[in-house]
Amino acid sequence: MHKMGRVKSFVDLLMACECSLKSHALLSMPDKTPVEAYREVRACGHNIGKLVRLANYLEDRAPYDYLAGQLVELPVHIRYSLEAYDAFFPALMDRDQADKDYSATIGCNPWVLEIRDVLGVLLEGVSAEFSGEVSMDLVELIDSEKAFSEFAAECLK
């Protein structure tokens, strides 16, 4: 895969890790109201390290700690292709002077595959929470939408 393709794939992978960690963090707070949990996770922004600290849904912390160790130094602006490309391949300087080491991260197939594997563990760990059937009862669907709207309004207060 060419460099730009690797950058785009990495951006997607990083965003998937962030979203999965947010799910784990939310599910790790059963004693909080949904609004409190949402606000606490939202306060983390896109910071992988902060999200990992909140995530305790799995008994084994190894997947969380692995992602923190690999991704915490890759800040949020690298989620966007142009900034990622600049971090790994800056103009007017040698690649070994870049902010991020392409060959040790997104340019390294084993590194990328290990991140994907760990992401798979996180996804599998919460899959039961997000699977099942959705009611096709119109009244239930409308009630669900109303409840979500109320939740969103409360979160924004």
Side-chain angles (χ1 to χ4, degrees):
M1 181 183 299
H2 57 82
K3 292 180 208 173
M4 195 53 152
R6 282 191 174 272
V7 168
K8 287 181 179 185
S9 292
F10 171 71
V11 168
D12 291 344
L13 186 61
L14 184 58
M15 291 178 75
C17 289
E18 179 184 327
C19 291
S20 184
L21 286 168
K22 286 180 178 182
S23 294
H24 279 254
L26 287 167
L27 291 168
S28 297
M29 297 184 231
D31 297 336
K32 296 191 180 207
T33 68
V35 171
E36 291 170 330
Y38 170 81
R39 287 180 177 155
E40 193 165 341
V41 169
R42 183 155 190 221
C44 293
H46 303 287
N47 187 304
I48 297 287
K50 289 179 181 179
L51 290 169
V52 163
R53 284 191 288 279
L54 288 181
N56 293 304
Y57 189 72
L58 298 177
E59 288 183 31
D60 180 8
R61 287 206 48 83
Y64 303 132
D65 296 337
Y66 179 81
L67 289 179
Q70 298 300 311
L71 301 176
V72 78
E73 295 298 321
L74 300 171
V76 66
H77 73 273
I78 292 183
R79 291 184 321 135
Y80 304 100
S81 295
L82 183 60
E83 289 82 357
Y85 200 79
D86 187 53
F88 290 105
F89 313 108
L92 306 175
M93 69 172 57
D94 292 335
R95 199 158 98 186
D96 63 344
Q97 295 174 338
D99 286 343
K100 306 300 172 200
D101 186 349
Y102 172 82
S103 297
T105 55
I106 68 173
C108 176
N109 281 341
W111 186 87
V112 172
L113 293 175
E114 184 65 22
I115 297 292
R116 279 182 37 188
D117 289 346
V118 173
L119 174 60
V121 169
L122 294 186
L123 294 173
E124 182 63 31
V126 297
S127 66
E129 299 289 344
F130 298 102
S131 60
E133 294 184 27
V134 175
S135 172
M136 296 309 291
D137 180 281
L138 189 57
V139 173
E140 285 184 34
L141 289 171
I142 291 171
D143 289 345
S144 175
E145 288 300 313
K146 284 180 185 176
F148 183 77
S149 179
E150 291 168 5
F151 167 76
E154 183 65 26
C155 287
L156 296 175
K157 285 184 182 178

